[in-house]
Amino acid sequence: YWRIRWECLSSRALLKKIIIPPCPYTRQEIDALVKNEKIIMYVPPHITLSDLASIHPEIKSSYWSDFPDKNIKNDAHYGWMDIDSSPIPQNTETSDQELEKTFKEKNRHGIHLLAYIIGALDIHDRTGSWLDHIKIDYSNYPYIIPCRLLGSKHTLHKLPFVASFYPWGELSFASYSARGDKSFFGARSIGQKKPS
């Protein structure tokens, strides 16, 4: 699935062929992840935000040009991974420090922006739903619960990012500064199984 998906996506941006190594997850492990609202995905090691902007011009977002790749540092987690796939992010009402401790104890990492976008678009293509909003009428506007991306930081002020997709497909992301406080923002994580 991911080999075919990346062949189709990379051709949109005229990228070099993306070589995908064998998936290290077994069928049983994938089934267990799905039961816990997680899915596996593949994030190419050299993919950039500019690449994703070229691949997905349908996402109308000023953020593509406002935040060039040089302003974002992503943690080095690429390749095969599993991510939280619940419709709204979990881990609300927690501080960033609490989350970092929890993720470390579970051998997980905060999701970074590239994985967030790739995962969200895959989930949308398969389900028709965007991540991180609740489909209810809230004063004629969908209620958004943004997702903290603890795996991405702004290169200048070292603050992490928060992101969400609006129901019409627009991507929104920005850095934030409430690291010591509990936040109503949710958060997603990455897990990785090393190839045997």
Side-chain angles (χ1 to χ4, degrees):
Y1 170 81
W2 278 98
R3 185 180 68 253
I4 294 169
R5 182 172 176 83
W6 274 117
E7 283 176 3
C8 295
L9 293 177
S10 61
S11 66
R12 293 185 187 179
L14 303 177
L15 301 180
K16 288 183 182 177
K17 183 175 181 180
I18 295 172
I19 306 299
I20 300 180
C23 178
Y25 294 85
T26 66
R27 175 82 265 167
Q28 291 79 11
E29 288 170 331
I30 293 170
D31 291 342
L33 288 167
V34 169
K35 287 181 182 176
N36 289 300
E37 289 192 295
K38 292 178 174 55
I39 59 166
I40 63 162
M41 58 182 280
Y42 187 81
V43 178
H46 303 295
I47 200 82
T48 66
L49 191 60
S50 298
D51 292 335
L52 294 181
S54 297
I55 291 169
H56 300 286
E58 72 276 12
I59 297 176
K60 307 302 182 188
S61 177
S62 61
Y63 296 86
W64 285 137
S65 56
D66 291 346
F67 285 87
D69 291 296
K70 65 180 181 180
N71 287 344
I72 299 173
K73 177 172 175 32
N74 295 300
D75 287 348
H77 295 102
Y78 298 90
W80 287 105
M81 64 183 68
D82 65 86
I83 65 165
D84 301 319
S85 61
S86 56
I88 58 173
Q90 305 301 308
N91 305 300
T92 56
E93 302 305 325
T94 57
S95 70
D96 289 1
Q97 289 85 351
E98 289 171 336
L99 275 178
E100 286 167 352
K101 181 180 177 184
T102 298
F103 289 163
K104 187 174 182 180
E105 289 171 353
K106 295 180 177 180
N107 198 28
R108 298 186 70 79
H109 311 277
I111 196 169
H112 56 71
L113 181 60
L114 298 172
Y116 178 78
I117 293 170
I118 291 167
L121 289 166
D122 172 54
I123 289 169
H124 177 262
D125 286 347
R126 290 186 292 105
T127 69
S129 296
W130 292 107
L131 294 181
D132 304 335
H133 67 272
I134 304 173
K135 294 182 179 177
I136 59 172
D137 186 1
Y138 187 76
S139 301
N140 295 319
Y141 198 79
Y143 183 47
I144 304 293
I145 299 181
C147 176
R148 282 174 280 176
L149 310 175
L150 299 185
S152 291
K153 290 185 173 56
H154 197 286
T155 54
L156 297 178
H157 46 63
K158 312 301 182 192
L159 295 174
F161 283 83
V162 62
S164 63
F165 276 91
Y166 291 100
W168 50 89
E170 181 180 349
L171 169 66
S172 172
F173 62 92
S175 54
Y176 69 98
S177 59
R179 287 186 55 76
D181 303 322
K182 290 188 183 295
S183 174
F184 81 93
F185 295 159
R188 296 180 185 275
S189 63
I190 290 172
Q192 285 190 293
K193 178 185 176 183
K194 301 301 181 187
S196 53

